[in-house]
Amino acid sequence: QVQLVESGGGLVQPGGSLRLSCAASGLTFSTHHMSWYRQAPGKERELVASITTGGGSTNYVDSVKGRFTISRDNAKKMVYLQMNSLKPEDTAVYYCNANSILTGRSYWGQGTQVTVSS
């Protein structure tokens, strides 16, 4: 059974930092592109950042470029999202996603809440 478990969310002041982690199990991690999505209240879920299977290529939504960094550790089956210079508009539930390059099947974590507020 595939499981993606996010952690690291919380309440932070504007300008602060958080590091989200996602622990994967039940899948061959190295054959999955990994992504972070977020969904704010009343808004659609959006792709925030993605990283290819070997970590050689990353992509970010324009609103987080220069502030967020996605990384992965294939040996530990972990993916991370380092978030710096956080803004109130970054407030959302953040979800980890794994997408198989072999089957196209996608898996989701349960989400972790990030709240940026003074």
Side-chain angles (χ1 to χ4, degrees):
Q1 182 180 358
V2 175
Q3 281 194 309
L4 299 174
V5 180
E6 302 99 333
S7 61
L11 173 64
V12 63
Q13 292 187 342
S17 297
L18 282 176
R19 189 195 195 204
L20 304 184
S21 299
C22 173
S25 61
L27 52 74
T28 304
F29 190 71
S30 60
T31 61
H32 288 73
H33 292 319
M34 300 299 297
S35 301
W36 287 96
Y37 285 74
R38 67 185 179 187
Q39 188 166 21
K43 294 188 176 181
E44 294 187 353
R45 191 173 296 190
E46 70 167 347
L47 176 62
V48 176
S50 61
I51 187 167
T52 51
T53 54
S57 180
T58 57
N59 283 289
Y60 300 90
V61 66
D62 285 347
S63 59
V64 309
K65 284 180 180 177
R67 301 188 297 122
F68 290 11
T69 303
I70 188 171
S71 61
R72 65 189 292 162
D73 185 331
N74 283 359
K76 295 182 178 179
K77 296 188 176 182
M78 297 287 295
V79 63
Y80 308 98
L81 186 67
Q82 178 67 43
M83 305 186 294
N84 299 327
S85 302
L86 282 161
K87 305 176 181 180
E89 51 263 43
D90 294 318
T91 295
V93 178
Y94 284 71
Y95 297 89
C96 178
N97 173 270
N99 189 266
S100 172
I101 63 169
L102 302 178
T103 67
R105 187 166 180 179
S106 190
Y107 305 92
W108 294 92
Q110 83 288 348
T112 185
Q113 176 71 47
V114 171
T115 303
V116 185
S117 175
S118 55

